[in-house]
Amino acid sequence: MSDLDVPLRPKRKKTIVDFLVKFRWILVILVVLPFSTAYYFLIYLGDVRSEMKSYKQRQKEHDENVKKVVKRLKQRNAKKDGLVCTARKPWVAVGMRNVDYKRARHFEVDLSAFRNILEIDKERMIARVEPLVNMGQISRTTVPMNLSLAVVAELDDLTVGGLINGYGIEGSSHIYGLFSDTVVAYEIVLADGSVVRATKDNEYSDLFYAIPWSQGTLGLLVAAEIKLIPIKEYMKLTYTPVKGNLQDLAQGYIDSFAPRDCDQDNPEKVPDFVEGMIYSPTEGVMMTGRYASKEEAKKKGNKINSVGWWFKPWFYQHAQTALKKGEFVEYIPTREYYHRHTRCLYWEGKLILPFGDQWWFRFLMGWLMPPKVSLLKATQGEAIRNYYHEMHVIQDMLVPLYKVGDALEWVHREMEIYPIWLCPHRLFKLPVKTMVYPEPGFEHQHRQGDTHYAQMYTDVGVYYAPGPVLRGEVFDGAEAVRRMEQWLIENHSFQPQYAVSELNEKDFWRMFDAGLYEHVRRKYGAVGTFMSVYYKSKKGRKTEKEVQEAEQAHLETAYAEADG
């Protein structure tokens, strides 16, 4: 039996939950889609109202809201009140990770007002925004100016705060790194109520480097200054089919954006955008994009494809056509390209609405898509939620570029999920060791995609029901995730914390580096005020006693070190 052969599994007995999941589309059509559309429209009106205000007025409101946060924090009695967390409802978060930590006693701080774009500074090429500004909102503002964030995460709903405190990536990350790497300053309210501005070269530089991946456990983010780049009206996108075994597909993906002569900083050799989709163990399509002007896109013979229209085929299915017709090129309006996966939630839409990709549904009801993820979560109930945790995978594996082929083989062997999303990103060698960091000595290996200052990684996005589940076979989702996490640890790879995790605390800190994070938590008084990042990410309910004991242990350690 070859390494890629999948062992036979026994059939799984179906339950009432299987029936509920199979016909969940009825609830989605009758309830989730209409409410999602109304919700999106109300949010849009709020964004328009915000855009009508002057930057000066927005700044004034921001300052007033920050004062409210400070006042609220100072009302907390550390001996009586629980740990600080936001007042955001658990089901509102886009990620699949449990937010059961809010079931323990906690002290809520309302940040719901922080959803404004404060300033677009064209001279400094900086966007100053509040944490609840989402990707759709900011691209709607900047793209007409021929400007964009350097990294625009694909889904409209993803917020600046979530992408900074957690994880954010896009097809431009092979140049600019992860979303947090494009931030130049953070405005943070610390545990004692003080408001600080952290940059990489001021007195709060340690805080600046510790914030990414910290899940809001160091302080409350109230604003961020993020890098802008100049863009053009269209994306010239080339679809290239690749066939062979999984190692061949991985090499085709690497070759699409990483010159073999390691000239990775040469814009003539490196595209502006990169994305790969693996459709089967033998077929994939690699997409490379370059910004193009309106004049170029509209030249005779060029094809323009406005993928954002509701009746258009879902993007991943459109890309798959390259497997039959061969390599082709088209021009996509830039903003529509940025959000190409929003309408069908990558390919998750196929599970939510099995007929959602059909032409008749797209034409009649496609304008209602996508269902809002938070509303899907709010209407699924505990039983369905547990079913998805066991029978459904939404994970991102961040692996060194040269190990992509090994990761694809592992996913096929253990989960058998397709399509698989591939998106490269730089992991920079920083002055300090952060929670995620490159492999030691990578700069001496001269591998494809690497430079002396950054190692190239890839997000291997695994989203869908595993093959055994689709065939009605036994599948242990929790055990599969545990094995995945151990593979990641052994291969100096990382798992974004939005996902459901099976890591215990020891293994969590084997995957991530705790040094800077724990130092900053103690230095700025976060211990005893905010939950630690492990307990915030930990699967399952967090009892008040468990959280208090964990925080007390951190406090005692901190006091012992201070006395020493």
Side-chain angles (χ1 to χ4, degrees):
M1 185 173 73
S2 73
D3 287 343
L4 296 183
D5 284 338
V6 180
L8 295 175
R9 304 169 188 256
K11 291 290 183 180
R12 183 176 62 86
K13 292 183 180 180
K14 293 189 176 182
T15 67
I16 186 66
V17 180
D18 291 275
F19 177 83
L20 294 174
V21 169
K22 182 177 180 179
F23 292 100
R24 194 175 171 215
W25 60 266
I26 298 173
L27 182 66
V28 171
I29 287 180
L30 296 179
V31 178
V32 177
L33 282 181
F35 276 92
S36 295
T37 303
Y39 188 90
Y40 283 127
F41 182 67
L42 290 174
I43 292 295
Y44 172 74
L45 291 180
D47 294 344
V48 170
R49 200 159 46 240
S50 172
E51 291 165 12
M52 292 173 65
K53 298 174 184 176
S54 67
Y55 287 132
K56 187 175 181 180
Q57 186 177 357
R58 290 181 224 171
Q59 181 60 51
K60 182 181 178 182
E61 290 178 2
H62 172 78
D63 294 339
E64 291 171 352
N65 289 326
V66 170
K67 289 178 182 176
K68 291 177 183 177
V69 171
V70 171
K71 181 180 178 181
R72 174 66 175 158
L73 272 178
K74 290 184 175 180
Q75 290 172 347
R76 176 175 174 265
N77 185 325
K79 294 181 179 180
K80 296 180 180 180
D81 296 321
L83 297 173
V84 172
C85 68
T86 68
R88 198 180 191 193
K89 298 300 179 186
W91 53 269
V92 172
V94 174
M96 294 303 293
R97 173 175 56 85
N98 293 336
V99 285
D100 289 327
Y101 61 87
K102 290 194 176 182
R103 299 190 186 191
R105 182 164 57 93
H106 57 273
F107 184 83
E108 291 188 347
V109 178
D110 187 4
L111 299 181
S112 61
F114 291 89
R115 55 185 328 111
N116 296 308
I117 298 172
L118 298 174
E119 184 179 11
I120 301 296
D121 189 332
K122 295 181 181 179
E123 291 186 7
R124 294 175 59 219
M125 291 296 282
I126 295 294
R128 184 164 178 263
V129 300
E130 293 180 322
L132 290 183
V133 168
N134 64 36
M135 293 298 98
Q137 179 183 355
I138 197 164
S139 65
R140 190 167 55 246
T141 299
T142 59
V143 169
M145 304 177 185
N146 280 358
L147 297 174
S148 172
L149 298 183
V151 174
V152 183
E154 289 92 346
L155 302 184
D156 285 27
D157 257 5
L158 297 173
T159 63
V160 167
L163 296 169
I164 287 172
N165 282 305
Y167 162 76
I169 192 173
E170 166 59 301
S172 59
S173 290
H174 66 295
I175 299 172
Y176 301 105
L178 297 176
F179 187 88
S180 54
D181 292 315
T182 67
V183 180
V184 297
Y186 301 105
E187 185 180 339
I188 300 286
V189 181
L190 299 177
D192 64 359
S194 57
V195 183
V196 302
R197 181 175 179 269
T199 70
K200 65 181 180 181
D201 51 13
N202 73 0
E203 60 184 305
Y204 298 105
S205 61
D206 52 358
L207 179 62
F208 175 85
Y209 285 115
I211 286 171
W213 296 77
S214 68
Q215 296 290 329
T217 61
L218 300 176
L220 298 173
L221 177 69
V222 290
E225 296 172 34
I226 310 172
K227 180 178 180 178
L228 289 169
I229 60 169
I231 63 169
K232 296 178 182 178
E233 295 87 352
Y234 284 85
M235 186 66 63
K236 180 183 179 183
L237 196 64
T238 302
Y239 302 78
T240 304
V242 179
K243 299 187 179 183
N245 61 36
L246 288 172
Q247 292 289 349
D248 295 332
L249 301 185
Q251 189 59 52
Y253 160 72
I254 294 169
D255 289 340
S256 71
F257 71 95
R260 294 202 175 194
D261 62 3
C262 295
D263 194 10
Q264 194 64 42
D265 289 324
N266 188 338
E268 297 297 319
K269 299 179 181 179
V270 179
D272 295 318
F273 274 77
V274 181
E275 179 178 36
M277 294 185 203
I278 308 299
Y279 291 97
S280 76
T282 58
E283 293 181 322
V285 175
M286 309 307 153
M287 286 147 281
T288 55
R290 291 184 178 273
Y291 287 111
S293 66
K294 183 166 53 179
E295 291 74 24
E296 177 186 342
K298 293 188 175 182
K299 284 182 179 177
K300 187 176 180 180
N302 289 341
K303 180 183 177 183
I304 293 178
N305 183 9
S306 296
V307 299
W309 285 104
W310 75 87
F311 51 81
K312 287 281 189 172
W314 288 357
F315 183 77
Y316 80 96
Q317 294 177 341
H318 170 65
Q320 192 174 9
T321 61
L323 294 173
K324 289 186 177 180
K325 65 182 183 182
E327 182 173 292
F328 66 95
V329 178
E330 63 186 14
Y331 291 79
I332 300 174
T334 296
R335 185 168 185 267
E336 294 182 26
Y337 175 75
Y338 286 161
H339 302 297
R340 62 200 177 278
H341 292 300
T342 290
R343 188 156 44 93
C344 55
L345 300 175
Y346 289 88
W347 28 90
E348 285 288 309
K350 186 68 174 172
L351 284 178
I352 298 165
L353 289 170
F355 45 79
D357 58 340
Q358 299 300 303
W359 69 267
W360 57 268
F361 181 88
R362 286 188 275 110
F363 185 79
L364 294 174
M365 301 186 71
W367 58 276
L368 291 168
M369 293 290 282
K372 193 165 176 61
V373 174
S374 56
L375 291 178
L376 287 171
K377 290 167 64 178
T379 57
Q380 68 185 9
E382 191 77 15
I384 293 179
R385 174 175 130 169
N386 292 335
Y387 174 94
Y388 280 130
H389 285 175
E390 287 296 323
M391 304 295 169
H392 189 202
V393 176
I394 297 184
Q395 297 282 348
D396 289 271
M397 304 167 66
L398 308 189
V399 305
L401 181 62
Y402 70 95
K403 292 187 176 182
V404 169
D406 296 340
L408 291 176
E409 290 182 342
W410 189 93
V411 172
H412 179 88
R413 185 168 55 248
E414 298 289 340
M415 296 178 175
E416 199 184 345
I417 288 177
Y418 294 97
I420 297 173
W421 188 60
L422 299 179
C423 185
H425 72 90
R426 276 177 164 160
L427 200 53
F428 292 100
K429 185 178 181 182
L430 300 173
V432 292
K433 194 175 183 181
T434 56
M435 282 182 67
V436 297
Y437 55 98
E439 292 179 300
F442 76 89
E443 64 270 33
H444 305 302
Q445 300 299 320
H446 305 292
R447 295 189 184 96
Q448 205 172 343
D450 292 352
T451 61
H452 68 279
Y453 60 87
Q455 184 177 11
M456 195 67 74
Y457 268 61
T458 280
D459 181 334
V460 179
V462 188
Y463 328 122
Y464 210 61
V469 173
L470 295 175
R471 293 191 297 268
E473 299 168 356
V474 168
F475 182 78
D476 188 337
E479 180 58 31
V481 170
R482 274 191 285 272
R483 289 197 296 270
M484 181 199 77
E485 290 167 338
Q486 291 305 313
W487 188 93
L488 292 173
I489 291 171
E490 292 164 6
N491 288 276
H492 197 91
S493 302
F494 305 96
Q495 172 194 37
Q497 299 144 349
Y498 81 85
V500 176
S501 173
E502 300 291 338
L503 289 170
N504 59 38
E505 190 165 11
K506 180 180 178 181
D507 284 342
F508 183 89
W509 292 119
R510 285 177 63 208
M511 180 179 290
F512 302 102
D513 189 86
L516 177 66
Y517 172 76
E518 290 294 355
H519 166 76
V520 168
R521 265 176 66 77
R522 292 165 184 165
K523 178 179 178 180
Y524 295 104
V527 178
T529 301
F530 300 102
M531 185 180 293
S532 73
V533 67
Y534 169 71
Y535 277 92
K536 194 167 184 179
S537 305
K538 182 175 178 285
K539 181 181 177 182
R541 298 191 179 192
K542 289 82 170 172
T543 66
E544 183 178 340
K545 181 180 179 182
E546 178 186 24
V547 171
Q548 286 180 338
E549 287 176 351
E551 287 302 295
Q552 187 61 35
H554 280 289
L555 277 172
E556 289 171 356
T557 305
Y559 292 146
E561 290 180 358
D563 292 340

